[in-house]
Amino acid sequence: MLRFIVRRLLQLIPILLGLSILLFAWLRALPGGPAQAALGERATPEAIARYNELFGLDEPLIVQYLRFLGRAVRLDFGTSARTGRPVTTEFLERMPGTIELTIFAMIFAIGVGIPLGYLAARKHGSWLDSASVIGSLLGVAIPVFFLAYLLRLVFAVELGWLPGSGRQDVRIDATRITNFYVLDGLLTREWDAAWDAVLHLILPAIALGTIPLAIIVRITRASVLDVVNEDYVRTANAKGLATSTVRRRHIIRNALLPVSTTIGLQTGLLLSGAVLTESVFSFGGVGSALYDAIFARDFAVLQGFILMLAVVYVLVNLLVDISYGLLDPRVRVR
């Protein structure tokens, strides 16, 4: 297992290097350039030339890239042209919101997806099985932004049951410790602040968790159907074991191995920034910050956020591989 972990860690190096090269080249190819984005209306040819000279943007691209790579290793991505604050500080303040939203979205997806997929497999060929397959296809096909707008229109605007924007009511004077609003409310025993933060998470979590829900339903259903036909399940039934024991020890335990991998990968994708969902609900996370940075041509934020999100995604995938290796004895033996 140690050799497996070391090999995975070494594989991260060329992946991150390749991503940094692509990101650097892409941002340099965008129209306007960093100087115009930073100077805005003051972007005269003389001002742009001075800016490029000051920040070394007139040097060869290889020199610029090596300098960028050296700063990235120290998590120094410069300052935001839009807010004037360090990019790393902005990221650390925004990331807790995205993590909270991801956790609630995955709780929704796992809590509904695994039981529904298992029931669909048990009732294979029934109306429940057909409904789950059709529902999972719709869940993948419906655009996230459309579902988000629909949920906001119905439950926030028309019915007024749930808040439709933000992470917390601005009228609540909540104490900030970790920037995880729910956790902060629990730690400080400000129950109204914690509950309000939960209410603000419901609609965006449902919208964001729809695609993972659909995928988890399909993977769970297919995995259970495969495991049911395995020899060890037939042997357990032939030995006279109780049906609940066969399901718990032999079917569910083995069927959840590929499901756990899917859950890990979907979590990594959601942590990488839910741009559309956060933009619709004005949710103060990484996704909404990227949305604002794209339209403001804030190259420092784009570079820093995308690269740090890529690291988060790669690390989550590494944890998934390690977890799968610990759960699956075939991988553990190799």
Side-chain angles (χ1 to χ4, degrees), residues 38 40 50 83-84 114 145 155 207 210 212 214 219 239 252-253 258 276 292 306 312 318 327:
R50 287 196 300 270
T83 64
I114 291 180
F145 69 89
F155 294 101
T210 303
I219 295 297
K239 290 170 62 178
I252 296 178
R253 180 180 296 180
L276 296 177
D292 295 336
I306 293 176
V312 171
L318 175 62
L327 292 173

Side-chain angles (χ1 to χ4, degrees), residues 96-107:
T98 299
I99 293 175
E100 270 191 340
L101 181 56
T102 298
I103 291 173
F104 274 74
M106 291 308 299
I107 289 175

Side-chain angles (χ1 to χ4, degrees), residues 5-284:
I5 295 174
V6 172
R7 187 170 65 249
R8 288 294 188 183
L9 288 174
L10 293 177
Q11 290 174 354
L12 297 182
I13 298 175
I15 292 174
L16 294 177
L17 282 175
L19 178 64
S20 66
I21 293 173
L22 291 175
L23 179 62
F24 180 84
W26 171 62
L27 291 176
R28 290 303 184 278
L30 290 177
Q36 185 172 344
L39 296 174
E41 297 179 354
R42 300 168 297 171
T44 62
E46 295 78 10
I48 291 177
R50 287 196 300 270
Y51 185 92
N52 290 336
E53 183 180 0
L54 179 62
F55 292 96
L57 298 177
D58 56 347
E59 297 182 357
L61 288 178
I62 184 63
V63 177
Q64 294 183 43
Y65 172 72
L66 292 176
R67 185 181 293 113
F68 161 73
L69 193 62
R71 291 198 305 266
V73 173
R74 302 191 303 270
L75 297 180
D76 178 14
F77 298 98
T79 58
S80 169
R82 188 167 50 89
T83 64
R85 305 178 62 206
V87 173
T88 305
T89 302
E90 292 259 357
F91 181 84
L92 293 177
E93 288 184 359
R94 295 274 194 161
M95 193 61 188
T98 299
I99 293 175
E100 270 191 340
L101 181 56
T102 298
I103 291 173
F104 274 74
M106 291 308 299
I107 289 175
F108 165 70
I110 295 170
V112 178
I114 291 180
L116 186 58
Y118 177 73
L119 289 176
R122 283 191 57 192
K123 305 293 183 179
H124 180 57
S126 67
W127 66 269
L128 178 61
D129 185 23
S130 301
S132 67
V133 173
I134 295 173
S136 62
L137 290 174
L138 288 175
V140 175
I142 295 177
V144 174
F145 69 89
F146 174 77
L147 181 60
Y149 275 118
L150 187 63
L151 290 173
R152 184 179 180 182
L153 175 64
V154 174
F155 294 101
V157 177
E158 298 293 337
L159 298 176
W161 290 354
L162 294 167
S165 63
R167 292 184 61 191
Q168 199 170 58
D169 195 326
V170 295
R171 294 169 295 182
I172 296 179
D173 186 18
T175 305
R176 298 283 177 259
I177 300 176
T178 63
N179 252 9
F180 292 92
Y181 286 8
V182 177
L183 179 61
D184 288 346
L186 297 176
L187 292 176
T188 58
R189 297 186 178 182
E190 296 174 352
W191 312 118
D192 58 333
W195 178 244
D196 187 73
V198 170
L199 292 178
H200 279 77
L201 281 165
I202 293 176
L203 290 181
I206 292 175
L208 187 62
T210 303
I211 292 180
L213 167 64
I215 295 174
I216 289 172
V217 168
R218 293 182 65 86
I219 295 297
T220 303
R221 174 184 175 275
S223 182
V224 171
L225 289 176
D226 287 341
V227 171
V228 165
N229 296 319
E230 292 290 342
D231 292 338
Y232 55 82
V233 174
R234 288 195 292 267
T235 301
N237 287 321
K239 290 170 62 178
L241 293 178
T243 303
S244 59
T245 302
V246 174
R247 290 174 181 170
R248 185 178 67 255
R249 292 184 180 179
H250 299 284
I251 297 178
I252 296 178
R253 180 180 296 180
N254 291 283
L256 287 181
L257 285 174
V259 178
S260 63
T261 304
T262 302
I263 291 172
L265 295 176
Q266 290 300 313
T267 303
L269 287 174
L270 298 189
L271 284 174
S272 299
V275 177
L276 296 177
T277 304
E278 292 186 8
S279 300
V280 171
F281 291 99
S282 301
F283 198 85

